[in-house]
Each structure stands twice: as C-alpha cells, then as structure tokens.
Amino acid sequence: EVDERLVLPTNTLIRLLVTASDVLHSWAVPSLGVKIDAIPGRLNQIWLTLNREGVFYGQCSELCGANHSFMPIVVEAISPRQFLTEYVKKWVS
C-alpha cells in the first residue's frame, strides 16, 4: 500500500504529467497498459481513459536506487460523480 493513492475519475480523458526530482524512474501500472519514464529536469506526458472502477497496482520499473523495491504505485478509479463530490472538495477547501 502507499501513503497517497492517485485517485482518478472513470470515463474521462486524463492527462498525466510526469517528472522526477532525483533519479530516472519508470512509472508503470501494467493492468492499465501504462508505462512512462520520469526523468529529472524533463516533463513527460501520457493520456489515458479509465473504463472501469477499481484499484490498480504498479511500481517503478527502473532500478533507480537502494529503495527501488519500496516504490509501489496505486491508482484508484472512481465514478466522476464520486470524484467531484469527495475529492475535489479536498482541493477547494
């Protein structure tokens, strides 16, 4: 499990911007068909649409350092209505 899940709405075109602050990483969630490099000093992007609700697990797939095995990724896909009522309120207030 992770400290902060990436919570995204389903049936919505989403643009993810990815970068790194320390070393090269590779952000990968195989069940979503997503793998993108995070490179220090560069901005990378990927577009995705989540077709179903659920929790999807991934990890950094580069050997980026001593704590490489402790870099899990969790993406939670929820309905757009739930996203607007629960998660957007956290950002606005």
Side-chain angles (χ1 to χ4, degrees):
E1 207 46 45
V2 295
D3 295 332
E4 293 286 333
R5 289 182 172 191
L6 176 59
V7 180
L8 299 172
T10 58
N11 303 317
T12 305
L13 184 61
I14 299 165
R15 178 184 179 204
L16 291 178
L17 298 175
V18 181
T19 190
S21 60
D22 48 4
V23 296
L24 181 71
H25 297 281
S26 188
W27 197 87
V29 183
S31 57
L32 296 177
V34 174
K35 182 177 179 183
I36 188 166
D37 290 333
I39 303 167
R42 301 210 180 230
L43 197 58
N44 209 347
Q45 71 176 349
I46 191 167
W47 294 85
L48 64 105
T49 301
L50 304 169
N51 296 321
R52 62 184 168 95
E53 295 181 19
V55 179
F56 305 93
Y57 296 94
Q59 64 185 21
C60 179
S61 59
E62 285 288 331
L63 296 176
C64 51
N67 292 325
H68 170 74
S69 60
F70 301 107
M71 298 183 74
I73 298 167
V74 178
V75 177
E76 183 177 357
I78 60 175
S79 70
R81 178 173 296 220
Q82 184 182 5
F83 183 79
L84 289 173
T85 57
E86 293 179 18
Y87 289 92
V88 172
K89 284 183 181 178
K90 288 181 182 179
W91 301 332
V92 174
S93 32

